[in-house]
Amino acid sequence: MSKWHAKDVPRLPSMDLLRGFEAAARLLSFTRAGEELHLTQSAVSRQMRELEEQLGATLFERRHRALALTEAGRAFYPAAAQALAAMRECVQRVRQVAGLRALMVSSTASFASLWLVPRLTRFAGENPGMDVHVSANARIQDLDRDGVDVAIRYCPPAMAGTAAVRLFGEHVFPVASPRLLADTKRPLREPADLRHHVLLAVEDPEGAYPWLSWGSWLELAGLGDLKPAGRLHFTEYDQLLRVSRDGYGVALGRSALVRDALRSGELVAPFAAIGHRAADSSRAYHVIVAPRARARPDVQRFVDWLQREAAQDEYAPAVEDAEGGRGSKDGARKRKPRP
Amino acid sequence: MSKWHAKDVPRLPSMDLLRGFEAAARLLSFTRAGEELHLTQSAVSRQMRELEEQLGATLFERRHRALALTEAGRAFYPAAAQALAAMRECVQRVRQVAGLRALMVSSTASFASLWLVPRLTRFAGENPGMDVHVSANARIQDLDRDGVDVAIRYCPPAMAGTAAVRLFGEHVFPVASPRLLADTKRPLREPADLRHHVLLAVEDPEGAYPWLSWGSWLELAGLGDLKPAGRLHFTEYDQLLRVSRDGYGVALGRSALVRDALRSGELVAPFAAIGHRAADSSRAYHVIVAPRARARPDVQRFVDWLQREAAQDEYAPAVEDAEGGRGSKDGARKRKPRP
DNA sequence: GATATGCATGAGTAAATGGCATGCAAAAGA
DNA sequence: TCTTTTGCATGCCATTTACTCATGCATATC
């Protein structure tokens, strides 16, 4: 027996183990907890074993393809949640005192509401003490003057600048409520069937967004002469999508902005293969950081997070790749809703 | 930029970092915090850098040979302490629900009060949820019958049993209050000077502990005929030591039991070299675990801790080794009391 | 009977963590 | 004034930790 070495000192469970436990206990699944925490099922399984060994208590009852909490696990859950909360409060307090500032982000209203804000809640959870303000105003050009730290713009790379970070490109394809597909009186089985439907589009009197127009898409599909049942125009893209989800027409889906709706099944993409090529390959979503904010660690963390979220989306497409689908393990396959 | 990998997920500070911070902030020293946590100064230094990076805040102001907390550090301290407490509460709660039982320890009253209990407070801090009961009753022989999980006995190895764990041996030498050494009217510079002093001893009418008698020690010192100024006898060894600390006489110090008092300077050992050889090399302090408790993880942890504490004492002796002192880095060198 | 699915685990690897040795700089001691 | 002491920082390296990949197992579902 040697003298004390650091490895011999009994340790308290790490925050990582608690976070794993909280997710696994809430979801009752190591697999899904892993997905939420960007870990493999194997890693979560081992974490829970390690935690149980440290505590000297069994937290989960392993059934086949199901987990249940033991009495000790149920007792641990609120305490673990409290310990996590105490730590986040801890971190938040010190960052406040250290004078960390809010992070100002500018993007279009549509990008904000359809892509950024739904994801920011997770960012906030993983980054206590950070105060992110989203300005749904893409007209801002002078970031320094207007007090913006990070801007997200859909533009050519030359416009974004060499320091900008590319998130993802975009392509467009028709999307509609699954109810429209179920309508036998007005079929929507092939592109020509669009003549039976109302086409929804964003107002563009100056033709500033040609790639977003039905005209362009129909030309691409060889249907330049098609006369639809009607046309509706909207000033805001998210309003257009809401109408589409409600089943009142067919919209041109912007891939990034419709991704969540496709995933949830609120929208379907019957002709996704047409137009898979980027509608305007010169443009993409870019992250532009104001020069004076580049050295801020919180800004760097935020930009890093944006890139990872964007990459995550690209690895798990919402619609099957038209050139060749993945195998049965495709993560995008829709799960049955859980009770 | 790749998709999410576990290493990319922002992490909350670990409990190890918080514990390091709490100790460094309380002691205002990385070196002493390291000693307390069984880490090197280097490790604590790096931990604090890592913590500051994770938080994005400076917690310490490094001065030469001194630390001060920054405002952020002062703000972090109570929050960190609360997070540590929340975690310990967390661990304790789950262990209670899991039905962990108290751990019953038996030892002599003197060993309990002079060695074990002072150290148990640290054990308790490092092992939340464990309930250790100390029975200062060494007459217990049948551990199973008497509900004792662990016994600590000073006995020959054969009596302890092959499964017992040896902690340390013992040797005895005179100890006295430093005030006695300062008394010029009654010098205590050489062993013969003991004739000027009251000798303190444990009652032993049956001669059961010959190695603890002044007679034995004086014979060893070649002073068999020495007539002291007086003799006092006590039933309890810790009472004897209290009187010695108060300066009323010279006691025979049992090495393990006087170690803390020597370290604190309350007692000094003017003739430690005489008698350095174990008074009775056949005996030593042993840990004996009741057979039915051997499989308990909490009991195993406790025994492991006992061994490490004992080894720690052996590595940092309270008095310089009579055969050859260590260098100037000897950890036992007494520090000036801090303000 | 075949397939799907979620937990457990062997093996491999990259990153994290800690110790050793040393540098640096200023306070303390001679 | 010079020497010694002391505590924080850091290069380097070894060991441990933590995660991924691949696969096995067992049972529910089709």
Side-chain angles (χ1 to χ4, degrees):
Chain A
M1 177 61 65
S2 60
K3 69 176 184 176
W4 282 103
H5 184 279
K7 303 304 186 190
D8 303 315
V9 176
R11 303 173 71 192
L12 291 167
S14 72
M15 288 287 107
D16 290 337
L17 296 189
L18 281 205
R19 202 170 53 174
F21 170 77
E22 192 278 331
R26 171 167 40 84
L27 301 166
L28 292 180
S29 165
F30 292 165
T31 304
R32 292 169 67 205
E35 287 166 4
E36 181 168 301
L37 301 173
H38 304 296
L39 293 172
T40 60
Q41 169 271 324
S42 161
V44 178
S45 179
R46 291 185 212 274
Q47 283 188 340
M48 294 308 100
R49 282 294 180 195
E50 171 65 23
L51 182 58
E52 286 173 327
E53 278 184 32
Q54 283 193 19
L55 296 177
T58 300
L59 302 172
F60 294 97
E61 183 184 336
R62 276 84 164 168
R63 299 168 178 156
H64 172 64
R65 291 174 70 175
L67 289 175
L69 283 169
T70 61
E71 187 181 351
R74 283 193 292 274
F76 191 64
Y77 187 80
Q82 189 207 349
L84 281 165
M87 179 64 89
R88 291 188 177 114
E89 152 66 20
C90 193
V91 168
Q92 182 164 3
R93 175 178 301 211
V94 71
R95 283 175 176 162
Q96 277 172 348
V97 171
L100 295 178
R101 301 186 331 261
L103 195 159
M104 307 297 298
V105 181
S106 160
S107 79
T108 63
S110 299
F111 184 83
S113 67
L114 293 169
W115 193 89
L116 183 58
V117 168
R119 286 159 176 73
L120 268 181
T121 51
R122 187 163 57 243
F123 177 81
E126 293 171 358
N127 293 272
M130 283 188 64
D131 184 12
V132 181
H133 292 201
V134 177
S135 170
N137 178 357
R139 286 188 176 80
I140 290 171
Q141 297 297 326
D142 190 330
L143 305 188
D144 281 325
R145 183 193 66 192
D146 293 318
V148 168
D149 301 313
V150 174
I152 302 173
R153 297 284 181 268
Y154 185 70
C155 63
M159 186 172 288
T162 54
V165 168
R166 181 186 187 279
L167 290 181
F168 37 63
E170 181 172 76
H171 51 283
V172 299
F173 42 82
V175 295
S177 167
R179 295 207 299 280
L180 286 194
L181 268 64
D183 187 349
T184 54
K185 292 183 201 134
R186 294 183 296 163
L188 195 52
R189 284 191 291 273
E190 56 186 2
D193 290 337
L194 285 167
R195 66 179 185 274
H196 305 301
H197 294 276
V198 174
L199 303 187
L200 313 175
V202 172
E203 284 189 353
D204 186 23
E206 298 174 7
Y209 321 116
W211 67 90
L212 288 181
S213 73
W214 275 105
S216 298
W217 194 85
L218 290 167
E219 284 290 344
L220 193 65
L223 295 165
D225 291 336
L226 188 138
K227 304 273 188 260
R231 289 180 188 265
L232 283 175
H233 289 88
F234 301 81
T235 54
E236 300 297 336
Y237 186 75
D238 52 345
Q239 291 169 0
L240 176 157
L241 269 205
R242 187 174 303 119
V243 170
S244 180
R245 286 204 301 268
D246 291 342
Y248 296 123
V250 181
L252 268 182
R254 302 180 66 170
S255 53
L257 308 191
V258 296
R259 145 180 216 87
D260 291 352
L262 288 171
R263 208 167 203 181
S264 72
E266 285 182 299
L267 289 175
V268 294
F271 314 122
I274 302 170
H276 180 70
R277 297 186 308 273
D280 184 344
S281 61
S282 70
R283 290 170 184 259
Y285 285 94
H286 291 91
V287 180
I288 306 169
V289 182
R292 58 168 173 73
R294 283 175 191 166
R296 282 174 55 179
D298 56 336
V299 169
Q300 289 167 0
R301 268 202 301 281
F302 179 67
V303 172
D304 188 64
W305 173 82
L306 280 174
Q307 286 181 264
R308 292 192 194 286
E309 285 295 314
Q312 194 85 351
D313 284 357
E314 283 192 325
Y315 272 79
V319 293
E320 297 235 346
D321 192 311
E323 272 89 39
R326 300 278 295 278
S328 63
K329 298 272 185 77
D330 192 327
R333 219 159 89 257
K334 193 161 72 75
R335 279 196 179 85
K336 284 180 196 145
R338 276 163 170 78
Chain B
M1 175 62 64
S2 61
K3 71 177 185 175
W4 281 103
H5 183 280
K7 303 300 189 193
D8 304 314
V9 177
R11 301 173 71 192
L12 292 166
S14 71
M15 289 287 106
D16 289 338
L17 295 188
L18 280 207
R19 203 171 51 177
F21 170 77
E22 193 279 331
R26 171 168 39 86
L27 301 167
L28 292 179
S29 165
F30 292 166
T31 304
R32 291 169 66 207
E35 287 166 2
E36 182 168 300
L37 300 173
H38 306 296
L39 293 172
T40 60
Q41 169 270 323
S42 160
V44 178
S45 178
R46 289 185 214 274
Q47 283 188 341
M48 294 308 100
R49 281 295 179 195
E50 171 64 23
L51 182 59
E52 286 172 327
E53 278 183 32
Q54 283 192 19
L55 296 176
T58 300
L59 302 172
F60 294 97
E61 184 185 335
R62 275 84 163 167
R63 299 169 179 156
H64 172 63
R65 291 173 69 173
L67 290 175
L69 282 169
T70 61
E71 186 181 350
R74 284 193 293 275
F76 192 63
Y77 187 81
Q82 188 205 351
L84 282 164
M87 180 64 90
R88 291 188 177 113
E89 152 67 17
C90 193
V91 169
Q92 182 164 2
R93 176 178 301 211
V94 71
R95 282 175 177 165
Q96 279 172 348
V97 170
L100 294 179
R101 303 188 327 265
L103 195 161
M104 307 297 299
V105 180
S106 161
S107 80
T108 62
S110 297
F111 184 84
S113 68
L114 293 170
W115 194 88
L116 182 59
V117 168
R119 286 159 177 72
L120 268 181
T121 51
R122 186 162 59 243
F123 177 81
E126 292 171 357
N127 292 272
M130 283 189 65
D131 185 12
V132 180
H133 291 200
V134 176
S135 170
N137 179 357
R139 287 189 176 76
I140 291 172
Q141 297 298 326
D142 190 328
L143 305 190
D144 282 324
R145 184 194 65 192
D146 293 319
V148 167
D149 301 313
V150 173
I152 302 172
R153 297 284 181 269
Y154 185 70
C155 63
M159 186 171 290
T162 54
V165 168
R166 181 186 185 279
L167 290 182
F168 36 63
E170 180 172 78
H171 51 284
V172 299
F173 42 82
V175 294
S177 167
R179 294 207 298 282
L180 287 193
L181 267 65
D183 187 349
T184 54
K185 294 185 199 134
R186 294 184 296 164
L188 195 53
R189 286 191 290 272
E190 56 187 3
D193 288 338
L194 285 168
R195 68 180 182 273
H196 305 303
H197 294 276
V198 175
L199 302 187
L200 312 175
V202 172
E203 283 190 352
D204 186 21
E206 298 175 7
Y209 320 116
W211 69 91
L212 289 181
S213 74
W214 273 107
S216 298
W217 193 85
L218 288 168
E219 284 290 343
L220 193 64
L223 295 166
D225 293 337
L226 186 135
K227 304 276 188 252
R231 290 179 188 265
L232 282 176
H233 290 88
F234 301 81
T235 54
E236 300 298 334
Y237 187 77
D238 52 346
Q239 290 169 2
L240 177 156
L241 268 204
R242 189 175 301 117
V243 169
S244 180
R245 287 204 300 270
D246 290 343
Y248 296 124
V250 182
L252 269 181
R254 303 179 67 170
S255 53
L257 308 191
V258 295
R259 144 180 216 87
D260 291 350
L262 287 172
R263 208 167 203 181
S264 73
E266 284 183 299
L267 288 174
V268 294
F271 313 122
I274 302 172
H276 179 71
R277 294 186 308 273
D280 184 342
S281 61
S282 70
R283 290 170 185 260
Y285 285 93
H286 291 90
V287 179
I288 306 170
V289 181
R292 62 171 169 68
R294 284 175 190 165
R296 281 172 55 179
D298 55 337
V299 170
Q300 290 167 0
R301 270 203 299 281
F302 180 68
V303 172
D304 188 64
W305 173 81
L306 280 174
Q307 286 182 264
R308 292 192 194 287
E309 284 294 314
Q312 193 84 353
D313 283 357
E314 283 191 326
Y315 271 80
V319 292
E320 297 234 345
D321 191 311
E323 271 89 41
R326 299 279 294 277
S328 62
K329 297 273 184 73
D330 191 328
R333 217 158 91 253
K334 195 160 71 76
R335 278 197 180 84
K336 285 178 196 150
R338 278 166 169 75

